[in-house]
Amino acid sequence: MGRSAALIVLLALAVAAVPLLGPSAALHGTGEEAAPGVHGLAALRAVLFAALCVPVGEVFGRWLAHRVPGAPTARAPASWAGCAAATGFLAALCLASVASTGNLVPHRLSDVDIGGLYRTRDGVLALTEVNAFVLAGLWSRSRSTLSRALPAAAVIGAEAFRAHLAWESVPLLGYGLTGVHLTCAALWAGGLWQVLRTVRLWGGPGPSGRPAAPGAVAAPGAVAAAALLGRYARAAAALLAAVTLTGVVSSLRRMPFDTVLGQLVTTAYGRTLLAKVLLVAAAAALACVARLRLRRALRPGARLPVRIRGRPGAGDHHDPLTACAPARAEVVLLGVVVVVSALLTALPLPIRW
């Protein structure tokens, strides 16, 4: 519980600090004006994105776990989908109240126009997200993968439509790029969170409560945990490639190639995007470190995942679960990336020259 609590505290600090400090730092010296309530809007969208990652990650992590031969799938970490749905609902409801007033921050309850949500595109999309989180809460205990995935797909679709104006150049391309980007990002961040929770459960002490003796052959649960890490590592490489490709194309659609370098340092959107790129690169580097540790611990010449070496005297160097250390740092960085992405949605878009 100590490590999980530390991760939660770090993510909570990021959710609070980035929206509060980020807009001022990004806008400083650019001559751009922030939208009213930018700090609160960024924080709310960060909470919404985090609430989206939890159910997506649980579905993905459980799917990977069931593909591991001999895995103790009966031992699954407790679901956080219900709590995530409730948190996402509150964030979506607050964002809907802003959409109901024409994207102005309401100062009194009487300023909120519920009927106005049905008259605007942003209002309908905000209502879609509210209803999706309600369904996610109702279906949070469902064993059906489809029931767990549909509300998340509705939120991703609404965010993809909200991020692009209907009259922009080739809007369908923008919808598709954003939808794929959000889906892959949620699978990467949420999936890693769920996989680490599962590995902690499978690779911990056995039913007796006592850890294995040093040099003993690894328990079946630890072997399955290492196999799960290996399966996730391969999937994460493909997800990183998709996130990178869709992110680059989307950025070039908003910042033309001949001006992108200048706008990366002279606009708030560009500065925040640059920070996001650096954070993603750092997370990818940590993922590479974790995969190298897995490779060193597994049998030479074999592909991931295979059995753990159980040679007497094999220390931590031969334990694939040492890959969890960089993976925990990676999940914290990905949490910060989620918050920075939320900040991007609240900043003014760069001007196309």
Side-chain angles (χ1 to χ4, degrees):
M1 287 296 293
R3 289 172 179 171
S4 298
L7 289 178
I8 294 171
V9 169
L10 287 174
L11 293 177
L13 289 175
V15 169
V18 174
L20 292 177
L21 304 177
S24 302
L27 290 164
H28 180 71
T30 64
E32 298 171 305
E33 290 291 334
V38 62
H39 301 83
L41 292 175
L44 287 172
R45 205 154 293 280
V47 172
L48 187 145
F49 286 169
L52 172 65
C53 289
V54 171
V56 173
E58 287 189 359
V59 170
F60 184 45
R62 289 176 181 175
W63 179 79
L64 287 174
H66 280 85
R67 292 175 62 86
V68 176
T73 52
R75 298 172 60 192
S79 174
W80 286 17
C83 294
T87 305
F89 168 76
L90 292 175
L93 192 63
C94 292
L95 290 169
S97 70
V98 174
S100 71
T101 60
N103 291 323
L104 298 175
V105 179
H107 297 286
R108 296 181 300 274
L109 190 60
S110 58
D111 294 339
V112 178
D113 180 14
I114 301 298
L117 290 172
Y118 296 93
R119 295 193 293 268
T120 65
R121 181 176 181 266
D122 286 347
V124 171
L125 294 175
L127 272 179
T128 300
E129 294 184 348
V130 171
N131 293 332
F133 279 112
V134 170
L135 287 178
L138 294 175
W139 292 342
S140 61
R141 295 186 178 273
S142 172
R143 294 182 178 274
S144 169
T145 301
L146 184 62
S147 298
R148 302 285 296 275
L150 275 178
V155 174
I156 289 173
E159 282 297 313
F161 277 86
R162 187 199 59 79
H164 298 274
L165 300 175
W167 55 83
E168 73 175 30
S169 175
V170 197
L172 288 178
L173 177 59
Y175 302 152
L177 287 170
T178 303
V180 173
H181 188 81
L182 286 176
T183 301
C184 293
L187 288 170
W188 184 14
L192 179 57
W193 174 264
Q194 179 67 13
V195 164
L196 285 176
R197 295 177 67 217
T198 305
V199 165
R200 181 180 175 83
L201 189 64
W202 289 359
S208 65
R210 296 191 302 271
V217 175
V223 176
L228 178 60
L229 278 174
R231 287 188 180 275
Y232 173 80
R234 287 202 299 272
L239 293 173
L240 171 61
V243 166
T244 303
L245 179 61
T246 54
V248 168
V249 176
S250 295
S251 299
L252 291 178
R253 293 183 78 240
R254 286 183 168 168
M255 296 185 291
F257 185 76
D258 55 341
T259 64
V260 64
L261 292 179
Q263 294 199 55
L264 281 176
V265 293
T266 59
T267 65
Y269 187 92
R271 291 173 178 177
T272 308
L273 180 62
L274 182 58
K276 178 182 174 180
V277 170
L278 294 176
L279 287 169
V280 170
L286 287 170
C288 290
V289 172
R291 187 167 178 83
L292 286 174
R293 288 193 178 185
L294 275 172
R295 284 190 177 278
R296 286 198 198 101
L298 299 177
R299 187 170 52 190
R303 292 174 58 113
L304 289 172
V306 295
R307 69 177 179 85
I308 297 178
R309 279 193 186 184
R311 293 186 323 196
D316 289 343
H317 178 72
H318 296 289
D319 183 3
L321 300 188
T322 58
C324 290
R328 292 189 194 101
E330 179 188 352
V331 81
V332 172
L333 274 182
L334 290 177
V336 179
V337 169
V338 169
V339 180
V340 172
S341 299
L343 177 59
L344 271 177
T345 67
L347 292 174
L349 293 176
I351 300 174
R352 291 182 63 94
W353 297 101

